């Protein structure tokens, strides 16, 4: 079987990556555009991302979908014969893989149980060795999707306490806008 990421998975990635139609340098200095697309994806985009480059939302959506289908979904499918992923697990892992680059460490190269994989997801919340709340929140979303029974609605498996959502898009070097202004006030 060959799985494809669902709209739930794509929407999760879009939520956490944010959409940038102008090329920018991320927090580690990598030129990026769209929903986190870099020159590591040149074989998919056929384009070299350069400073000053602008793309359309349609192009960003196309590049994301192609990158997920051609590059990240296969990295998750590599372990399907052992784990037999359901759609929610697959979607959560493709999101994780898109953000981290692979799931080899998370699965310990296919030696961990599904329950251990779920628990370990929440540990991948550091950037440059420092805890990042935004990464923890992303991992929590991925964990919740991974653990959700296929066909059930978000939050339907527990009586979740409803709280106000203060999450903001991830900001990166070169980001502008409201989220940057808020962080400037906080810091």
């Amino acid at each position: 079987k060959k799985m494809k990421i669902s709209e739930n998975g794509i929407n999760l990635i879009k939520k956490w990556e944010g959409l940038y139609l102008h090329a920018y340098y991320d927090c580690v200095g990598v030129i990026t555009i769209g929903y986190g697309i870099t020159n590591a994806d040149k074989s998919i985009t056929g384009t070299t991302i350069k400073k000053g480059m602008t793309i359309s939302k349609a192009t960003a959506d196309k590049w994301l979908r192609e990158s997920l289908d051609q590059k990240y979904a296969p990295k998750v499918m590599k372990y399907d014969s052992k784990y037999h992923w359901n759609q929610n697990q697959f979607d959560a892992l493709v999101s994780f893989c898109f953000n981290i680059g692979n799931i080899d460490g998370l699965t310990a190269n296919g030696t961990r149980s599904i329950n251990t994989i779920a628990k370990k997801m929440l540990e991948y919340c550091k950037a440059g060795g420092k805890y990042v709340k935004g990464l923890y929140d992303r991992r929590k979303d991925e964990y919740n999707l991974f653990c959700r029974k296929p066909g059930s609605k978000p939050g339907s498996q527990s009586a979740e306490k409803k709280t106000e959502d203060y999450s903001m898009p991830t900001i990166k070097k070169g980001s502008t806008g409201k989220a940057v202004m808020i962080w400037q006030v906080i810091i």
Side-chain angles (χ1 to χ4, degrees):
K1 81 180 182 188
K2 184 178 178 192
M3 296 180 79
K4 285 191 112 166
I5 190 167
S6 74
E7 287 305 309
N8 281 341
I10 289 174
N11 289 336
L12 179 67
I13 292 167
K14 286 180 174 182
K15 170 187 173 182
W16 288 107
E17 290 294 331
L19 173 60
Y20 298 88
L21 299 178
H22 303 283
Y24 65 95
Y25 290 94
D26 71 8
C27 63
V28 292
V30 176
I31 193 139
T32 308
I33 201 163
Y35 298 102
I37 300 296
T38 68
N39 282 320
D41 302 305
K42 186 175 181 176
S43 65
I44 294 163
T45 65
T47 304
T48 300
I49 300 164
K50 298 180 196 128
K51 188 176 180 177
M53 181 178 179
T54 302
I55 60 171
S56 67
K57 183 180 183 313
T59 297
D61 287 334
K62 178 179 181 279
W63 285 355
L64 175 63
R65 172 59 90 168
E66 290 173 354
S67 177
L68 295 173
D69 290 346
Q70 295 174 34
K71 187 173 181 181
Y72 298 100
K75 291 180 179 194
V76 175
M77 284 304 296
K78 172 171 102 172
Y79 296 104
D80 185 62
S81 61
K82 174 175 172 52
Y83 296 108
H84 310 287
W85 309 121
N86 67 42
Q87 188 67 53
N88 289 340
Q89 292 168 335
F90 181 78
D91 288 350
L93 290 170
V94 173
S95 173
F96 181 95
C97 188
F98 183 76
N99 185 234
I100 301 289
N102 64 62
I103 65 164
D104 299 336
L106 178 64
T107 65
N109 295 310
T111 62
R112 288 191 171 131
S113 71
I114 283 190
N115 288 338
T116 302
I117 290 168
K119 290 175 190 159
K120 290 285 185 185
M121 285 178 115
L122 297 171
E123 295 177 12
Y124 287 78
C125 55
K126 291 183 178 178
K130 295 184 180 177
Y131 172 83
V132 177
K133 174 139 177 33
L135 281 177
Y136 176 77
D137 291 342
R138 180 181 183 146
R139 296 290 98 83
K140 216 162 87 177
D141 276 359
E142 291 165 346
Y143 169 86
N144 288 336
L145 179 58
F146 186 88
C147 294
R148 193 166 77 219
K149 209 183 260 183
S152 67
K153 300 266 186 253
S156 65
Q157 289 183 317
S158 64
E160 289 182 44
K161 182 181 174 191
K162 298 295 179 208
T163 58
E164 197 165 339
D165 182 8
Y166 291 101
S167 63
M168 295 191 323
T170 303
I171 60 171
K172 303 170 183 174
K173 186 175 181 179
S175 294
T176 60
K178 188 176 179 182
V180 172
M181 290 187 296
I182 291 169
W183 276 111
Q184 287 171 335
V185 169
I186 292 170
I187 297 171

